[in-house]
Amino acid sequence: MKFLILPLLAFLAACAPPPVPNAPRQEPMRLSFPSVQAFAGDSPGPATRANIDMARDFLDLAFQMESGRPLPVLTRFEGPITVALRGRTTALTRRDLDRLILRLRREAGINISMVAGPTANIVIESVPNAALKRLAPNAACFVVPRVQSWTELQAARGTGALDWGTLPRRDRAAIFLPSDVTPQEVRDCLHEELAQALGPLNDLYRLPDSVFNDDNINTVLTGFDMLMLRAFYAPELQSGMTRDQVAARLPAILRRLNPRGEGIPARFPPPTTPLWKSQVERALSEGRSDRQRRIAAQRAVEIAEQLGWDGPRLGFAHYANGRLQIDNDPSRALASFNAAMATYRADPETRIHRAFVALQIAAYTLISGNAEATIAVTKAAIPLARRHENAALLSLLMMFQAEALDLQGNRAAGMALRLDSLGYGLYGFGSRDEVVARLNEIASLPPQQPQM
């Protein structure tokens, strides 16, 4: 999420035109903040791809780790599943977890519930972010089998107890969340890690509509994800089944659970090559120089184009390339964002992806003083960010549109929209100071008009 959104404005501020001489000075914003505005926890929508494609997705998600290591058998919890929340948590976290549990029961058909006692099948523990980073520097949060606490995790390291591949079935697991990040980051961790505790352990870059994708575009469980989990817990399957055994039963399971997927043409997207994946990982790695990251992103674009890919992988390569070019070559960055938008527009499954690109393009149109274009691009993106419950993205899009309305002279509408963005900003960015910082950065982008 930080790669996708947060560094945007600091880079683009350097691209803004110099202030016009004798321009009126901006008055400091005086805002009355509302309560944190979150979401109802609704589904972004049902799965809409072909069952034959999703059967292959299921097998690749369920029988392989993110490292590429194959898993010998299917493992899941057998019987009712209990969840306990421990550590320093907020009312927002508890509410988000309650809503997620409700969705899992309703959409995935899983018999799962919260308990207050000392034991549970899945324990979710909040620990300081610094402690998480010392143990797993590249992970925002994670899930492990067989342990029930941070203390048990420390004792189990290096013993083989944390190896998912040695499980005959799942009985106990622990999810570790950071206790000192934004509400949205905690919510996103709950969705991804609880889904992995229950079901697939792999991520696939080819998926356009899933949290099981390392691009982090989808951050709440989608209709596809719920279908995968519902299939995972179908009565026709059980722990200990091999890939071939599951593959034999899966078509009938998906036909029963998702009859609409039978009449949709299959796409058969090719597998993601290790070379492309390694280039994307290099581009996203903060441990490399900016130049190395830009070269890797450009190489990822070239590989995707050479292989004839479209959809989420080509679009994300263009998007990452643009993000990394902002402070190096703004014109090249804009060309990459336009290429990403064109790619995402060609695929009906990548609507939320367009909203991320729209945010980048809105910065360019606002810097150029094109209020009409800024309003158009954000107007199309705002419903997508809201539907996919991305408060950080939604609030920024609303702030950009508010500045464009101001630029048109419609200050009342701009202020109303700006005020509407604040509650979502609190959820997405965590504090009033962070929200005000975003407002001020965006307010510095449009060209000021000379005083008459």
Side-chain angles (χ1 to χ4, degrees), residues 12 27 40-41 47 50 60 97 138 175 222 233 248 347 349-350 371 425 452:
L12 284 182
E27 292 296 324
D60 288 348
L97 180 56
N138 297 319
I175 295 169
T222 65
Y233 285 84
D347 187 341
E349 301 296 337
T350 53
M452 301 301 292

Side-chain angles (χ1 to χ4, degrees), residues 70-346:
L71 291 168
V73 295
L74 180 81
T75 62
R76 68 182 191 183
F77 291 94
E78 303 292 346
I81 304 165
T82 54
V83 179
L85 187 61
R86 296 178 185 163
R88 192 179 72 183
T89 58
T90 67
L92 275 175
T93 297
R94 291 188 291 274
R95 187 210 59 184
D96 284 340
L97 180 56
D98 286 341
R99 291 178 176 178
L100 174 56
I101 294 291
L102 181 61
R103 281 194 62 196
L104 288 167
R105 293 177 66 87
R106 183 177 62 238
E107 297 178 46
I110 296 175
N111 185 359
I112 184 171
S113 59
M114 293 289 297
V115 295
T119 61
N121 297 114
I122 301 171
V123 172
I124 302 172
E125 184 173 349
S126 295
V127 299
N129 193 39
L132 279 176
K133 291 301 182 186
R134 283 194 296 269
L135 192 64
N138 297 319
C141 42
F142 56 88
V143 58
V144 292
R146 292 192 173 107
V147 302
Q148 295 277 275
S149 70
W150 186 252
T151 301
E152 284 188 27
L153 172 66
Q154 305 300 313
R157 292 178 65 193
T159 67
L162 307 180
D163 186 350
W164 290 95
T166 62
L167 293 178
R169 54 177 274 171
R170 302 187 197 185
D171 295 302
R172 298 190 307 158
I175 295 169
F176 298 103
L177 309 175
S179 60
D180 45 5
V181 296
T182 71
Q184 179 168 321
E185 289 177 276
V186 174
R187 189 276 317 268
D188 295 351
C189 280
L190 286 172
H191 277 247
E192 181 168 4
E193 303 308 328
L194 188 52
Q196 289 199 318
L198 294 168
L201 298 167
N202 195 13
D203 284 329
L204 298 171
Y205 274 110
R206 72 171 184 258
L207 300 180
D209 51 359
S210 176
V211 302
F212 298 113
N213 187 326
D214 280 328
D215 66 10
N216 290 331
I217 296 289
N218 286 284
T219 56
V220 299
L221 293 175
T222 65
F224 168 85
D225 298 326
M226 290 297 183
L227 177 61
M228 293 295 101
L229 289 170
R230 184 176 282 273
F232 221 88
Y233 285 84
E236 296 94 327
L237 303 181
Q238 61 186 16
S239 294
M241 294 180 70
T242 66
R243 183 181 178 117
D244 287 346
Q245 289 173 325
V246 172
R249 299 187 183 187
L250 197 54
I253 292 172
L254 289 176
R255 188 160 51 246
R256 173 173 61 81
L257 297 179
N258 187 49
R260 62 184 291 172
E262 291 297 297
I264 299 173
R267 296 185 183 183
F268 302 110
T272 300
T273 63
L275 179 59
W276 183 88
K277 186 174 181 179
S278 70
Q279 294 304 310
V280 170
E281 290 171 350
R282 284 172 178 264
L284 302 183
S285 173
E286 295 182 358
R288 299 181 183 275
S289 71
D290 292 344
R291 181 175 181 275
Q292 289 174 322
R293 294 174 72 185
R294 289 194 297 269
I295 291 172
Q298 180 59 42
R299 181 67 181 127
V301 170
E302 293 168 356
I303 293 169
E305 290 179 336
Q306 289 167 2
L307 293 174
W309 292 350
D310 54 12
R313 290 174 292 190
L314 177 60
F316 187 66
H318 280 304
Y319 179 82
N321 195 37
R323 284 289 295 107
L324 293 167
Q325 289 290 348
I326 287 174
D327 62 334
N328 179 63
D329 188 338
S331 297
R332 182 179 293 183
L334 180 58
S336 293
F337 293 138
N338 286 331
M341 182 65 85
T343 301
Y344 287 144
R345 279 178 175 159

